[in-house]
Structures are given as structure tokens and as C-alpha cells.
Amino acid sequence: GQQVMQIPQYQHVQEGEDFTTYCNSSTTLSNIQWYKQRPGGHPVFLIQLVKSGEVKKQKRLTFQFGEAKKNSSLHITATQTTDVGTYFCAGVPGNQFYFGTGTSLTVIP
Amino acid sequence: GAGVSQSPSNKVTEKGKDVELRCDPISGHTALYWYRQSLGQGLEFLIYFQGNSAPDKSGLPSDRFSAERTGGSVSTLTIQRTQQEDSAVYLCASSLDGPAPLHFGNGTRLTVT
């Protein structure tokens, strides 16, 4: 069945360091979406990638979609304490969302 | 405009009792999803409604779980004969259509004692 794997599960960084989380799907996706969940909160949509090889930036966040549309990454440059939370990717092969297990980011001031 | 609304925000129930969780999606959103999230864990898909189509129930963990969506809007998730392992946060999300970005509600935290 459809699987979306995400690594690492946890990441602790010093404030100012970079952070990357990776997402891999067992099948080709029509699009991939990224969500952020702050501690105690609900997931909030960040971005959607649709095209093969697509790269999108949101300030210090860079999102990439692989050429084969089976993997994706989220990179944060110079982390800040406001980046704390769990980042989920969601693979969308059709109308269904397959969420990765999430990467919990801790930023040490 | 209002976001996705879920009620109650917290529910404590005794093992064996039935519970109903409600979700009011964003007006105009045709797709509605239910997920379950245990403490520190990922999102477990439960059920998906799209317009008037038959729901995708493939994620429901047992026949104690059921959901309905009336008039293409409000949805109710019912858990019968609750068990302690049902304790989790139940999240509802809606979107304009199937693959569009999801808007989540604040969730219902269910505790089964």
C-alpha cells in the first residue's frame, strides 16, 4: 500500500543552525504538501508542490519536489525559536492524503 | 471567515460508553477528513468524505467507529463502546476538493478512563 516515510523523526539544533527534513513516497505523487504543527496546536498548511523538480521558497524555508515526484525536502536556513514544531509532509497520489510520520524540531536558544 | 470548528474541545468518558464528535467544515468545502493523533505521534487517517460520493472508510480501525456527513456539511464521528486505546486527539479537516490544501480544526481531545 501507499507509504510516506519521513526522516529524521527528531532534530535538535542550536538557534542559527540549518535544518532539513526528508520525505519519501513508495509511489509517484500528483502533489506533495507540507504542514507545520506547533506544540499543542493543529497542523497548518505551509505549501504545495506539484511539478517535477519544483523548488519553492518562503523566507528562510526552501521546499523541493524530486524529479520522479516521489520525494521532497524542507530546508530551514538559520533556525529561530519560532520554527519549533513538528513538520509533516503529505503525499497526494489522488484525492487521498498520506501523511509522513513527521519531524519534531527543537531549537535551542 | 470561520475556520473548521470541532466540538467538544475535550471529552472525558468512561470505558464502554459511546461518544460523538462533531465537525463543522469551512463553508463551500466539499472534502472532509477525519484523522486521529495519539500523543507525540503522526496523523492516522480515519475517513474521507467528498461531495455526495460514498465515503472512503478504509482507515476506520474497527466497526466501533462510524461517521456520517449530513447535507454535505457537518460531520459526526461516533465511537461506540469506547476503549482506553481510543484516547487521542481527533482532528477534522476540510478542503475545497480532494487534493486541495487541508484546513484543520483544533481537534477534540478524547480521554477514556
Side-chain angles (χ1 to χ4, degrees), chain A residues 32-48 58 61 63 74 82-90 97 99, chain B residues 3-4 26 35 37 43 91-94 100-107:
Chain A
I32 195 159
Q33 299 177 17
W34 286 90
Y35 293 78
K36 177 183 178 182
Q37 185 174 25
R38 293 182 185 274
H42 58 271
V44 174
F45 172 75
L46 293 177
I47 207 158
Q48 175 175 283
Q58 288 180 351
L61 278 61
F63 304 83
L74 158 59
T82 53
D83 296 326
V84 165
T86 301
Y87 293 84
F88 292 97
C89 64
F97 291 78
F99 278 87
Chain B
V4 176
I26 293 173
Y35 290 90
Q37 187 172 36
L43 296 164
L91 290 162
C92 174
S94 69
L102 296 174
H103 298 258
F104 284 85
N106 289 329

Side-chain angles (χ1 to χ4, degrees), chain A residues 5-11 19-24 101-103:
Chain A
M5 307 300 294
Q6 195 172 348
I7 57 169
Q9 187 174 1
Y10 301 98
Q11 185 79 59
F19 158 77
T20 305
T21 173
Y22 301 90
C23 188
N24 288 285
T101 47
T103 296

Side-chain angles (χ1 to χ4, degrees), chain B:
Chain B
V4 176
S5 177
Q6 290 188 247
S7 61
S9 55
N10 282 283
K11 177 70 176 180
V12 180
T13 190
E14 291 180 351
K15 178 182 172 181
K17 295 284 180 70
D18 298 351
V19 294
E20 283 190 351
L21 312 180
R22 177 188 168 102
C23 174
D24 262 298
I26 293 173
S27 178
H29 280 195
T30 63
L32 187 148
Y33 300 77
W34 283 97
Y35 290 90
R36 179 168 71 174
Q37 187 172 36
S38 300
L39 187 62
Q41 301 299 307
L43 296 164
E44 177 188 3
F45 165 72
L46 297 177
I47 190 168
Y48 160 52
F49 296 90
Q50 174 63 60
N52 295 320
S53 302
D56 177 353
K57 303 179 181 180
S58 60
L60 294 178
S62 77
D63 58 8
R64 296 187 295 105
F65 288 73
S66 63
E68 62 177 20
R69 188 179 185 190
T70 54
S73 181
V74 172
S75 177
T76 302
L77 176 68
T78 301
I79 308 173
Q80 295 179 311
R81 305 181 301 283
T82 52
Q83 304 294 313
Q84 288 188 330
E85 60 262 30
D86 299 334
S87 296
V89 175
Y90 289 80
L91 290 162
C92 174
S94 69
S95 69
L96 278 173
D97 61 42
L102 296 174
H103 298 258
F104 284 85
N106 289 329
T108 293
R109 182 176 298 278
L110 176 66
T111 303
V112 182
T113 61

